[in-house]
Amino acid sequence: MDNIPCPHAWAVLNSKNLMADEYCSDLFKPKTVVKTYDMPVDPLPDEIQWNIPTHISDEVVLPPRYKRPPGRPKKKRDKPLIELMIGKHRNVCSTCERLGHNRRSCTNEPRKKK
């Protein structure tokens, strides 16, 4: 994606004694990086010398109307009708397949398999 070999590819290149520069994009080679900073970069002039259009300087920027409360936001979703009708989850015994308990506390006979 970045035209740089991944760590696995680097390991293969090193084991085969191949030059990794041939497999990198020219953007990441030292010569290109030096050329990037070859040209002088002019800093911004002093704030007094800035040329700001009037329609931007006249615009008033206000802070947000409210602050977001701290903490994780609450879930706000509409539950489907089936979730509302069934209610909360209940334990199901894996031995007798009845509701309200699990197999450790089961006193019923095991259900016969068909």
Side-chain angles (χ1 to χ4, degrees):
M1 204 165 158
D2 294 331
N3 298 326
I4 301 175
C6 65
H8 299 90
W10 279 102
V12 171
L13 292 171
N14 287 337
S15 69
K16 301 275 185 179
N17 294 326
L18 296 173
M19 295 296 295
D21 291 348
E22 297 172 10
Y23 298 93
C24 287
S25 172
D26 289 338
L27 296 173
F28 300 104
K29 293 184 180 177
K31 293 176 189 174
T32 310
V33 174
V34 169
K35 284 182 185 177
T36 303
Y37 296 104
D38 237 359
M39 296 177 6
V41 178
D42 297 327
L44 284 173
D46 195 27
E47 193 173 344
I48 299 167
Q49 298 174 348
W50 288 0
N51 183 15
I52 303 172
T54 55
H55 70 277
I56 293 176
S57 61
D58 293 342
E59 198 170 314
V60 178
V61 178
L62 299 173
R65 292 185 180 162
Y66 63 92
K67 285 189 173 183
R68 202 181 107 217
R72 185 178 179 140
K74 303 283 185 207
K75 284 186 181 177
K76 293 181 182 174
R77 71 176 184 98
D78 294 330
K79 292 185 178 181
L81 183 62
I82 190 122
E83 275 186 45
L84 296 172
M85 291 175 63
I86 291 175
K88 297 198 178 200
H89 178 73
R90 295 184 196 147
N91 290 341
V92 177
C93 178
S94 61
T95 307
C96 67
E97 297 180 3
R98 292 186 185 166
L99 295 174
H101 65 280
N102 56 21
R103 69 183 175 100
R104 294 178 85 194
S105 61
C106 183
T107 57
N108 301 325
E109 292 182 25
R111 189 171 182 157
K112 294 179 183 177
K113 304 269 180 175
K114 291 182 180 180

